[in-house]
Amino acid sequence: MALLADGVSALFIDGKMLSGSAGTFPTINPATEEVLGVAAEADAEDMGRAIDAARRAFDETDWSRNTELRVRCVRQLRNAMRDHIDELRELTIAEVGAPRMLTASAQLEGPVDDLGFAADTAESYVWNQDLGAASPMGIPTRRIITREAVGVIGAITPWNFPHQINLAKLGPALAAGNTVVLKPAPDTPWCAAVLGEIIAEHTEFPPGVVNIVTSSDHSLGALLAKDPRVDMISFTGSTATGRSVMIDAAATIKKVFLELGGKSAFVVLDDADLASASGISAFSTCMHAGQGCAITTRLVVPRACYDEAVAVAAATMSSIKPGDPSDSGTVCGPLISARQRDRVQGYLDLAIAEGGTFASGGGRPPSREVGFFIEPTVIAGLSNDARTAREEIFGPVLTVIAHDGDDDAVRIANDSPYGLSGTVFGDDPERVARVAARLRVGTVSVNGGVWYSADAPFGGYKQSGIGREMGLAGFEEYLESKTIATAVN
């Protein structure tokens, strides 16, 4: 089986590969601007059929109660993706513009392997808890708390890490006993549609349990949030869109999981190795062209060392040239689209208007006339009040901000509508720990520690979201609690 062999992807509804009722739409290679092929263009009726299939599969089959089948199917999906990992790698590099080196981790292989965590969790999970006998209101009663699937999940996903985010929703939601309708981003339809091919050919998932609806129309995702047949929305994307999802879901009081934007701070204390910390901050901002919600794009450094930090960050970024993502040495590939490149350039222009300067970068690389590339850029001379220091840019752009001690550094880091992630570098372990504990964020890296893992929950405070993905907490997002009280004679 060659994945997407004819350059055309299909919808996956009720166990069948189908054409889109609205025709097709192109998917573009962001590094070359060439059309890779086409994806099925769904309309509202297609989405309705997918929701109906998921509803029937949940209500009329034993999927939600058959843990053994669910575990087997999720493992089959993992194994089949492993078997096709090289094809998936090339597809991901071409459609996402993901650097090849990242496909060995969070862009592909990591998420595929993480399906095993979802299956293992379902297999070992304690689904029922016996509270024992009691006499509430004087009536002898035995109480059991049971955990069961929420129902039909509408999963709406972005383009920046499509496999990671698609599978971080599908794995736990399916292992927990739900059925799913996945609406992926229009920019990366193939990374989602290929799952339909694999599921159909290599797994025992019953029809309707997984449905994949591709479309260039963002409003189809809103149908999932509004439809009363859908029990929960799991959304990853911008805070503005997440706000709309909440509004749409409110009409039917749906359960909502939201993983939204970030403007995370990399805090350097005055006893840290400034050069090392500043270089690491700059390098991480360039990974996948800065297209990651948890990337620390504010470098907060001691005022006395500000110029040195800017110089180190600029030297690091200047050494990283935007390149072909298919090359093994590329760190910074293209942005996903011309629209996104123009958006990032708009923020760079704004930085100058706000009084900032570029220590490196600032626009399109002269050597890259084709492709949606932006130079890695260091912005200096702005305070945390500037829009470029407060708003999510989603590009290889680092703003360096001065602080006047630990309390001021914490204040700056927390002075954001977001609270997704953060980093602290310092030499004194107790001091670093105190600063990390004060950051109002969902994940913190201390001196280079890595929080990304299948067994660790990920999510944010404030306008960075509601709930957690991955880990046991991410699995339990897709469960409801039921208390069963039986009278004892």
Side-chain angles (χ1 to χ4, degrees), residues 60-133:
E60 299 176 12
T61 76
D62 71 343
W63 173 257
S64 66
R65 300 178 298 279
N66 192 337
T67 303
E68 181 181 352
L69 173 62
R70 300 198 307 270
V71 168
R72 184 167 70 249
C73 287
V74 171
R75 287 176 177 157
Q76 287 170 344
L77 176 58
R78 177 199 59 190
N79 294 341
M81 293 187 75
R82 281 177 173 171
D83 290 343
H84 291 278
I85 205 72
D86 289 334
E87 291 172 85
L88 290 168
R89 191 186 320 280
E90 299 307 319
L91 183 156
T92 305
I93 293 167
E95 185 175 56
V96 185
R100 181 175 296 277
M101 66 170 61
L102 290 184
T103 63
S105 55
Q107 278 287 8
L108 178 60
E109 293 188 37
V112 171
D113 289 341
D114 290 350
L115 287 171
F117 177 83
D120 293 347
T121 301
E123 189 171 51
S124 63
Y125 193 72
V126 179
W127 297 93
N128 299 296
Q129 179 186 2
D130 189 345
L131 295 183

Side-chain angles (χ1 to χ4, degrees), residues 32-209:
T32 66
E33 303 184 39
E34 297 175 345
V35 175
L36 294 169
V38 297
E41 179 82 90
D43 63 10
E45 291 186 3
D46 291 324
M47 179 61 81
R49 283 190 283 271
I51 295 171
D52 190 54
R55 186 77 262 168
R56 287 197 313 272
F58 186 81
D59 292 341
E60 299 176 12
T61 76
D62 71 343
W63 173 257
S64 66
R65 300 178 298 279
N66 192 337
T67 303
E68 181 181 352
L69 173 62
R70 300 198 307 270
V71 168
R72 184 167 70 249
C73 287
V74 171
R75 287 176 177 157
Q76 287 170 344
L77 176 58
R78 177 199 59 190
N79 294 341
M81 293 187 75
R82 281 177 173 171
D83 290 343
H84 291 278
I85 205 72
D86 289 334
E87 291 172 85
L88 290 168
R89 191 186 320 280
E90 299 307 319
L91 183 156
T92 305
I93 293 167
E95 185 175 56
V96 185
R100 181 175 296 277
M101 66 170 61
L102 290 184
T103 63
S105 55
Q107 278 287 8
L108 178 60
E109 293 188 37
V112 171
D113 289 341
D114 290 350
L115 287 171
F117 177 83
D120 293 347
T121 301
E123 189 171 51
S124 63
Y125 193 72
V126 179
W127 297 93
N128 299 296
Q129 179 186 2
D130 189 345
L131 295 183
S135 296
M137 302 178 68
I139 301 173
T141 304
R142 188 167 198 88
R143 292 88 34 82
I144 294 175
I145 299 174
T146 184
R147 304 300 301 274
E148 59 187 32
V150 173
V152 175
I153 310 298
I156 306 171
T157 59
W159 43 260
N160 57 324
F161 283 80
H163 296 302
Q164 196 281 317
I165 300 169
N166 289 343
L167 297 179
K169 297 185 188 303
L170 286 174
L174 295 169
N178 301 278
T179 59
V180 180
V181 179
L182 172 63
K183 168 60 174 72
D187 299 286
T188 52
W190 278 7
C191 285
V194 72
L195 297 175
E197 287 193 24
I198 292 173
I199 289 170
E201 294 289 332
H202 299 286
T203 76
E204 299 172 63
F205 279 100
V209 167

